[in-house]
Amino acid sequence: MEVQTTIKKRVFNFGDRKADGDAKFRNLLGGKGANLAEMSRIGVPVPPGFTITTEVCTEYNTLGKEETVQLIKEEVLSSVDNIGGIMGAEFGSDENPLLLSVRSGARVSMPGMMDTVLNLGLNDRSVEAVAARTNNERFAWDSYRRFVQMYGGVVMGMKPGSKEEIDPFEAIMEELKEEREIELDTDFTTEDLKLLVQRFKEAIKLKTGNTLPEDPWEQLWGAVMAVFDSWNGDRAVYYRTMHGYPANWGTAVNVQAMVFGNMGENSGTGVCFTRDAGTGENVFNGEYLINAQGEDVVAGVRTPQQITKLGSERWAELARITEEERRNKYPSLEEIMPEIYKELFEYQRMLETHYRNMQDMEFTIQNGKLWILQTRNGKRTGAAMVKIAMDMLKEGLISQQEAILRVDPVKLDELLHPVFDTKAIKKAKVIAQGLPASPGAATGQIVFHSDEVEKFKNAILVRLETSPEDLEGMHLANGILTARGGMTSHAAVVARGMGKCCISGAGALKINYKERTLTIEGREYHEGDWISLNGSTGNIFEGKVATKEPELTGEFADLMKLSDKFRTLRIRTNADTPKDALAARNFGAQGIGLTRTEHMFFEVDRIKAMREMILASTTKGRRRALDVLLPMQRSDFEGIFEAMDGFGVTIRLLDPPLHEFVPHQLTTQKELADDLHISLEAVKTKVAELEEFNPMLGHRGCRLGITYPEITEMQTRAILEAALNVQARGVIARPEIMVPLVGTLKEFTLQKQVIQETAEQVFRERKERISFKIGTMIEVPRAALIADRIATEAEFFSFGTNDLTQMTFGYSRDDAGKFLPIYLKQGILNADPFETIDQKGVGTLMRIGVGRGREVKPSLKIGICGEHGGDPESVEFCNTLGIDYVSCSPFRVPIARIAAAQAAIKKQIKNT
Ligand code: PEP
Ligand code: MG
C-alpha cells in the first residue's frame, strides 16, 4: 500500500527559543508537548526536541507499527537532525552520540500512568564515547545501566511476575549488592555497572527471547511505539476510565535531547511548585537530589532535599532533624547552588505569570547549567485549589470569573468531609511522623497490598512506596501511608490528585509485606489494626480518632459568596430531617427541593405504626395507625420548617412500595404478629400480597395515595398543622406539597382534591390559614410529554431525574450496577446516566417538559431533585434549560453553588 507521508504535519519541533507549535495545540501535542513548545517560545531553556502528535497514536492503533513508522519517518529523521544541530551531537554516532528521552504526554496530565525511556541511543560503542567525552566512565555506565533497565521494562516487557516479586532488574542489583557487600546503588563501581548491563541483557534474552537492540534507530522506534502502547496499558485505561477521558484522545510522544542530572556533584534534578500544592500557600517549594536522574526524585527511593531554605527548615522540624544535621546532610538548593536557585526562581515566576496558574515544573542541572524539562498546571488539593484561585484574584492575576472557573466543583468535596475532632486529636497517641503529603483526616484498618484494600470498609494502605500499580488500591483506601518518598513522590502526587489523605516518607516505619506487619520503634502492628492519619500535619496515630463535620469558612466562604454573585440558578437541598436541613442551610441552601417523607417512617418507634397501617385490612384500621403517625410527622415537619425559616419547603407524599416497610424474615414477622395481636399466618399472607414483580413500576408513588387517600390526608394534615404551629412561633413557613410519580392529569387532580379538602378542614379546625402550593414530580416519561396538561393544574414541577432516567432507559436503578460498568468500559455509554443527566434522551424529555409546562403557565416554578442536582455537568445542563433551581444533598450544596455560577459564566461567555 502506498503510504501518504506529507499531507499533514505529524511531528512538531521545539528548542533554541523557537517552536512549531504553542499552547493552543494542546489536544494535538498533548499537555507536555504544548507546554514545551510554549516554554521554548518564551525563552525558557528546554532541551530541544520534537513531539509526535496524538493523532499519530490513533493512527497507530489501526495501522500498527510498520506503517506508522513509514508515515512519520521523514519528519522524525529531520527533527532528530535538528536536535543534533542544536546540541552539537549526532544521533547514532559512535564518537559524539546524541542521547534522547522518549516520553508520553496526553492532553491531560496522567502522572506515572504511561511509560518513559531515558538515555536512548546508548549501546556498547556509544557508551565508551560518552565516557570519554564526559571524562566520567562511571556516569556513562550508570546511564547505560538505567537505559537497559528502562528499555527492558517498557519496550521489552521485563516486569515483575506478581505483586510479591520485585522488579527483575532490581533483583539482579540486589544480588550484586550482596555479592559485593554494599548497600547503596551509588556504591557500585564502574566494573559493577558493566557487569550489571551484561546481566540485565542476559536476563532480557532469557526471559523474552529477544536481544536488546544495539541500533539507536531501532531503539527509537521501539520506544515510540511502546509509549503509544502504554496509552492502552492497564494503568492508563484504569486512570482514563476513572476520570472519564475518552480512548480516542491518544497520547503524544515527546522526544528530547537528554540532559543529565547524574553527571556528578555539579549536577542534579528536581521537581518544584510555584505555590504549595497541599495548602495553596504562595511559597515557591520543591525537592531535588544531587547527582540523580528525574525518576530518583519521584520514585521515592532516596529522600530528596528541599529547594528553598524555608522549606528545608520546615521539613527538618517535621522530620525532627537538628539544624546542624539539616545544613550538613540535607541543605537546600538555595544554600548550595545560590546562582542556579536564583535562575530557577526567576523561571518559576515567569512561568506562573505566563500561564496565570500554579505550575508544577521539572528541572535538571547538568554540569552547572539549568534546564527546565517541563511545566504544567500543578495538581492540588481542594483546599489549595480554592486558596490559589482566591489569592490569584486578590493579586490581580485573574478575574472573578476566572477564579470561579478555576475551581473544580467536584474537588470541593474534599473540603466538605469530616476533619479530626480537636478534642479527640489531643488525646490520640502519635506513633510516628511523616511528611504531610496530602491533607485531610483518615481513619482505617491497615492493609499492605493494593489489591486487598477491599478487605476492609475503611482501609489505610501502608506501603514502602507506591507505584502506578497501586492506583486502584489508593483510590479505594481512606488514606495512604508510605515509609519512603518525599512530597513529590508518586504516592504524594497521586494522592493529592485524588484528594486523598496521604503521609509519605515516614522513615520510622518498618514494613514486612510477607508477614503483613508494620513495626514502629519496636511495636508491631498487623493487618487489620486501626490507625489514623492527619495528612495536614504528617502525624500518624494509633487506633480510631473521632472526626467532626467541616465548616464553610475563610477563602472557601469567600469563593461561595463570589459565586452567588454570578449564578442565576437557585440551590435547594434534599433533606429529610431538621438536622440535615440545618446543615444544608449552613452550606447556603435556599430551601428544600425534596423531603422524602418515607424516611421518617423507618425509625424504630415509627415502623411499628407504619406496619400496622400497612397490615390493616380496613380503612378504619388504617386511619387508626395513621393517627399514631401523624404527631410524629408533624413534629419532623416543624423542625424542617424552622430550619428553613423563610424558604420554600417541598414535601413529597409517600412514594415507595409498601412491601419495603414490612418484615421479610420469620423472626421479625413473628415479633410483628405478637405486637399486633394477630396470627403469624395473617402477617405472612399480607407480606405475600404485597410482593410485586416490578416494585419500581408497581404500587408506589401517587398510586398509593389514590388507593389509600387516607395516607395523603394524614400527610397533608401533618404538613399544614406543622406550618401553622411554627407560624404561631414567628417562623415563615412556605409549604409545597408534591405528588410523586404522576403520569396522567387525572392522577394529579385526584390527589390535589384530597389535599385541598384536607387543607380546608385543617384551616376550619384551626380557624387560621396558611398559603401553600401543590405541585408534582415529573419523573414518568409520560408526565414530561403531557406537561402542558399537568401544568394547567400544578403550581410547580420538580424533575425526579432518578426515576425519569430509570424509566427512559428502562434500567432498574437497583440493578444497573451489574451491567453499567461494562457499558462504560465498552463505550456504550460515556457516563453513568444515574450520575450525570443523559442530555440526549432524558434531557430531551426535560426540555419538552419545561417547554410544554411553561407554554401553559409561563411563570411555572420548575426544579430538579434527582441525584443529578449535585452533579456539575447536570447543573450546567439545568442552567441551559432555564429552570429555577436544582436540589441536592446537603454536602453537595456548595458544589452546586459553584457549578451554577460556572454555568452562568460559561453561558455569558458563549453569548458574547
Ligand atoms: C427521583 O426519582 O429523581 C426522585 C428524586 O425520587 P426518588 O429518588 O425518591 O425516587
Ligand atoms: Mg422518584
Side-chain angles (χ1 to χ4, degrees):
M1 178 180 138
E2 183 82 7
V3 178
Q4 302 255 320
T5 52
T6 51
I7 295 169
K8 71 175 171 193
K9 191 166 172 60
R10 292 183 169 86
V11 177
F12 286 66
N13 295 319
F14 57 82
D16 208 16
R17 294 168 189 261
K18 290 193 288 283
D20 295 339
D22 60 32
K24 290 192 293 298
F25 288 70
R26 191 180 184 91
N27 291 356
L28 190 64
L29 302 183
K32 190 178 290 183
N35 275 337
L36 284 166
E38 184 82 7
M39 282 199 287
S40 198
R41 272 175 189 270
I42 64 171
V44 173
V46 297
F50 59 90
T51 305
I52 306 173
T53 68
T54 53
E55 283 177 3
V56 179
C57 181
T58 311
E59 288 173 318
Y60 167 77
N61 287 336
T62 45
L63 295 179
K65 180 173 172 177
E66 300 309 321
E67 281 189 37
T68 308
V69 171
Q70 289 311 313
L71 205 60
I72 55 176
K73 197 168 182 175
E74 253 180 54
E75 283 179 272
V76 169
L77 285 176
S78 115
S79 294
V80 169
D81 253 9
N82 179 47
I83 304 177
I86 298 170
M87 297 300 280
E90 193 188 335
F91 188 62
S93 154
D94 288 347
E95 285 85 44
N96 182 16
L98 169 69
L99 303 187
L100 298 173
S101 68
V102 180
R103 292 183 164 92
S104 63
R107 66 169 79 174
V108 286
S109 153
M110 296 168 60
M113 290 306 110
M114 287 180 293
D115 291 325
T116 294
V117 179
L118 304 177
N119 307 337
L120 189 136
L122 279 174
N123 57 25
D124 291 346
R125 295 178 308 284
S126 59
V127 67
E128 300 294 355
V130 172
R133 294 184 75 89
T134 57
N135 203 14
N136 190 339
E137 198 185 18
R138 192 184 185 287
F139 155 74
W141 280 93
D142 190 37
S143 303
Y144 194 22
R145 185 273 297 174
R146 287 167 191 265
F147 166 67
V148 177
Q149 189 169 348
M150 276 195 236
Y151 200 91
V154 170
V155 186
M156 305 184 75
M158 284 284 283
K159 300 260 165 74
S162 76
K163 68 179 183 206
E164 255 104 19
E165 248 177 62
I166 62 168
D167 177 85
F169 297 113
E170 291 294 335
I172 295 171
M173 282 168 63
E174 287 304 314
E175 203 177 272
L176 190 61
K177 277 184 200 166
E178 263 175 42
E179 283 171 31
R180 298 284 186 264
E181 295 181 3
I182 55 172
E183 276 193 12
L184 301 173
D185 294 3
T186 41
D187 296 334
F188 284 128
T189 63
T190 307
E191 290 315 306
D192 292 338
L193 294 167
K194 287 182 182 174
L195 188 59
L196 280 176
V197 167
Q198 190 194 327
R199 288 190 183 174
F200 282 1
K201 286 183 174 179
E202 285 164 5
I204 294 174
K205 176 82 189 154
L206 197 69
K207 188 158 177 192
T208 70
N210 296 318
T211 313
L212 188 120
E214 280 281 298
D215 173 12
W217 283 100
E218 198 184 325
Q219 292 174 359
L220 181 59
W221 294 122
V224 168
M225 301 306 152
V227 170
F228 283 149
D229 282 332
S230 69
W231 174 252
N232 287 319
D234 290 347
R235 279 181 274 147
V237 170
Y238 180 77
Y239 192 91
R240 285 201 259 120
T241 318
M242 189 166 88
H243 289 85
Y245 304 149
N248 66 6
W249 278 4
T251 180
V253 182
N254 297 295
V255 179
Q256 249 178 314
M258 278 301 298
V259 288
F260 294 95
N262 55 345
M263 270 200 177
E265 293 306 304
N266 204 12
S267 302
T269 188
V271 178
C272 58
F273 299 89
T274 58
R275 300 186 189 219
D276 190 313
T279 64
E281 192 187 356
N282 188 2
V283 283
F284 175 48
N285 65 96
E287 294 173 333
Y288 76 101
L289 280 171
I290 287 294
N291 200 9
Q293 275 194 268
E295 79 272 12
D296 297 335
V297 182
V298 188
V301 178
R302 276 167 64 186
T303 302
Q305 291 154 239
Q306 296 295 311
I307 288 175
T308 67
K309 185 159 178 278
L310 175 74
S312 176
E313 286 164 353
R314 285 181 179 179
W315 171 83
E317 206 182 314
L318 283 171
R320 298 188 184 151
I321 283 172
T322 63
E323 170 60 14
E324 201 188 334
E325 193 183 351
R326 182 196 74 76
R327 237 182 302 119
N328 293 335
K329 273 170 96 178
Y330 308 103
S332 65
L333 185 73
E334 187 174 2
E335 290 160 298
I336 60 162
M337 292 187 181
E339 287 307 313
I340 294 274
Y341 172 79
K342 240 167 83 186
E343 216 186 320
L344 181 63
F345 189 86
E346 297 286 303
Y347 287 130
Q348 64 91 20
R349 279 287 101 210
M350 186 168 150
L351 285 166
E352 184 180 280
T353 314
H354 181 75
Y355 287 104
R356 303 187 312 130
N357 204 337
M358 188 263 272
Q359 296 298 296
D360 162 356
M361 305 154 53
E362 281 176 24
F363 64 92
T364 282
I365 305 155
Q366 175 174 296
N367 271 333
K369 165 142 182 62
L370 175 68
W371 294 94
I372 307 293
L373 302 188
Q374 72 158 315
T375 191
R376 59 188 171 195
N377 292 340
K379 289 201 179 298
R380 61 204 79 175
T381 61
M385 169 186 77
V386 172
K387 181 162 170 54
I388 292 171
M390 294 311 282
D391 280 355
M392 286 190 166
L393 170 65
K394 279 182 222 142
E395 290 158 25
L397 210 57
I398 56 177
S399 68
Q400 290 185 340
Q401 286 91 330
E402 279 174 305
I404 289 171
L405 291 175
R406 283 289 167 86
V407 173
D408 173 0
V410 177
K411 267 189 100 61
L412 288 181
D413 197 41
E414 288 168 35
L415 302 179
L416 301 167
H417 282 307
V419 287
F420 281 128
D421 179 75
T422 12
K423 277 196 202 126
I425 204 89
K426 274 196 189 124
K427 285 195 215 129
K429 181 177 164 198
V430 179
I431 48 173
Q433 171 83 47
L435 299 174
S438 181
T443 293
Q445 291 174 271
I446 297 174
V447 56
F448 295 99
H449 297 292
S450 298
D451 55 354
E452 294 175 7
V453 169
E454 271 177 298
K455 268 189 185 173
F456 304 107
K457 189 160 167 265
N458 295 291
I460 301 282
L461 179 63
V462 180
R463 303 279 305 164
L464 279 173
E465 70 234 1
T466 63
S467 73
E469 271 78 26
D470 295 314
L471 194 74
E472 196 167 349
M474 293 172 75
H475 190 57
L476 294 171
N478 285 0
I480 297 133
L481 171 62
T482 69
R484 299 182 191 151
M487 296 289 282
T488 47
S489 63
H490 175 269
V493 173
V494 173
R496 279 200 293 274
M498 288 179 177
K500 193 127 298 193
C501 167
C502 173
I503 296 178
S504 63
L509 271 54
K510 303 264 172 306
I511 297 169
N512 186 328
Y513 287 139
K514 276 223 166 90
E515 301 292 321
R516 297 173 191 239
T517 56
L518 161 68
T519 312
I520 304 172
E521 287 170 8
R523 191 176 151 83
E524 206 172 89
Y525 297 86
H526 301 95
E527 183 181 271
D529 286 348
W530 286 83
I531 54 168
S532 301
L533 311 178
N534 186 341
S536 314
T537 61
N539 278 332
I540 304 158
F541 303 93
E542 195 170 83
K544 279 189 210 180
V545 180
T547 52
K548 72 173 176 64
E549 298 305 334
E551 284 162 4
L552 222 168
T553 51
E555 276 106 1
F556 189 14
D558 295 343
L559 171 74
M560 284 295 118
K561 263 193 223 129
L562 184 65
S563 69
D564 290 346
K565 229 173 93 172
F566 290 91
R567 71 182 161 88
T568 48
L569 269 176
R570 291 172 72 77
I571 312 299
R572 289 194 177 196
T573 190
N574 293 357
D576 308 329
T577 63
K579 185 171 163 255
D580 283 356
L582 208 59
R585 187 163 187 162
N586 289 336
F587 281 138
Q590 301 160 292
I592 291 195
L594 174 64
T595 291
R596 292 177 165 102
T597 50
E598 55 269 18
H599 290 176
M600 301 169 174
F601 294 127
F602 282 110
E603 286 174 27
V604 199
D605 52 336
R606 300 171 183 199
I607 190 84
K608 217 176 105 187
M610 186 66 183
R611 285 171 174 166
E612 189 174 342
M613 192 275 286
I614 296 167
L615 295 187
S617 44
T618 60
T619 309
K620 204 168 147 211
R622 253 191 311 278
R623 278 195 196 283
R624 206 173 34 236
L626 285 166
D627 283 346
V628 179
L629 291 170
L630 174 71
M632 298 171 182
Q633 284 240 296
R634 192 171 51 216
S635 88
D636 283 337
F637 295 148
E638 283 179 22
I640 291 176
F641 285 131
E642 270 167 352
M644 282 294 162
D645 189 359
F647 287 129
V649 173
T650 304
I651 299 175
R652 183 179 69 187
L653 301 176
L654 193 65
D655 182 41
L658 296 181
H659 83 97
E660 282 191 12
F661 298 95
V662 293
H664 292 272
Q665 279 173 347
L666 193 64
T667 45
T668 35
Q669 286 181 351
K670 264 191 192 141
E671 278 171 32
L672 181 64
D674 290 347
D675 274 351
L676 301 181
H677 307 294
I678 55 173
S679 70
L680 176 62
E681 278 319 298
V683 173
K684 278 187 174 169
T685 312
K686 191 72 192 179
V687 171
E689 267 172 38
L690 291 170
E691 203 76 34
E692 291 180 305
F693 288 108
N694 281 315
M696 273 292 187
L697 301 176
H699 194 187
R700 60 170 288 222
C702 65
R703 301 158 205 171
L704 286 173
I706 286 169
T707 39
Y708 305 124
E710 51 279 11
I711 300 179
T712 305
E713 280 171 30
M714 183 281 279
Q715 292 202 293
T716 304
R717 179 172 281 276
I719 294 167
L720 295 177
E721 285 182 354
L724 289 170
N725 289 352
V726 297
Q727 182 173 260
R729 301 202 285 268
V731 172
I732 301 173
R734 298 191 194 287
E736 298 165 355
I737 301 176
M738 182 156 75
V739 185
L741 226 70
V742 159
T744 70
L745 176 62
K746 193 79 185 166
E747 283 174 319
F748 180 69
T749 50
L750 278 174
Q751 284 289 283
K752 185 175 168 185
Q753 198 184 338
V754 176
I755 296 166
Q756 277 174 334
E757 282 170 13
T758 310
E760 286 312 315
Q761 190 161 344
V762 171
F763 296 156
R764 266 198 307 278
E765 287 165 17
R766 299 282 294 245
K767 299 194 180 57
E768 56 181 337
R769 305 182 69 86
I770 191 163
S771 69
F772 68 101
K773 290 192 166 65
I774 309 174
T776 184
M777 294 193 73
I778 303 288
E779 52 183 345
V780 173
R782 191 174 193 277
L785 299 173
I786 60 154
D788 46 348
R789 287 175 61 73
I790 298 175
T792 56
E793 291 288 336
E795 288 174 282
F796 65 88
F797 281 176
S798 178
F799 282 103
T801 45
N802 302 333
D803 273 309
L804 194 59
T805 302
Q806 167 166 265
M807 294 190 222
T808 303
F809 275 95
Y811 296 163
S812 158
R813 282 161 71 172
D814 301 321
D815 304 302
K818 288 188 186 144
F819 56 86
L820 272 187
I822 297 158
Y823 272 39
L824 293 172
K825 211 168 173 181
Q826 294 190 1
I828 297 171
L829 294 175
N830 287 329
D832 179 343
F834 290 105
E835 271 174 32
T836 302
I837 289 175
D838 152 54
Q839 296 187 17
K840 287 205 179 83
V842 177
T844 301
L845 280 169
M846 291 174 75
R847 189 168 278 121
I848 291 171
V850 173
R852 296 192 181 167
R854 289 216 172 123
E855 228 170 67
V856 176
K857 208 175 258 175
S859 62
L860 184 71
K861 192 160 60 120
I862 305 181
I864 161 185
C865 63
E867 285 312 300
H868 306 88
D871 168 65
E873 210 179 305
S874 309
V875 171
E876 188 177 346
F877 176 67
C878 289
N879 195 61
T880 62
L881 283 185
I883 64 174
D884 300 287
Y885 69 86
V886 295
S887 186
C888 57
S889 61
F891 287 93
R892 291 190 85 84
V893 167
I895 297 175
R897 281 166 79 184
I898 192 101
Q902 291 183 340
I905 293 167
K906 283 186 203 163
K907 199 167 170 182
Q908 252 175 25
I909 295 172
K910 213 171 142 200
N911 292 341
T912 49

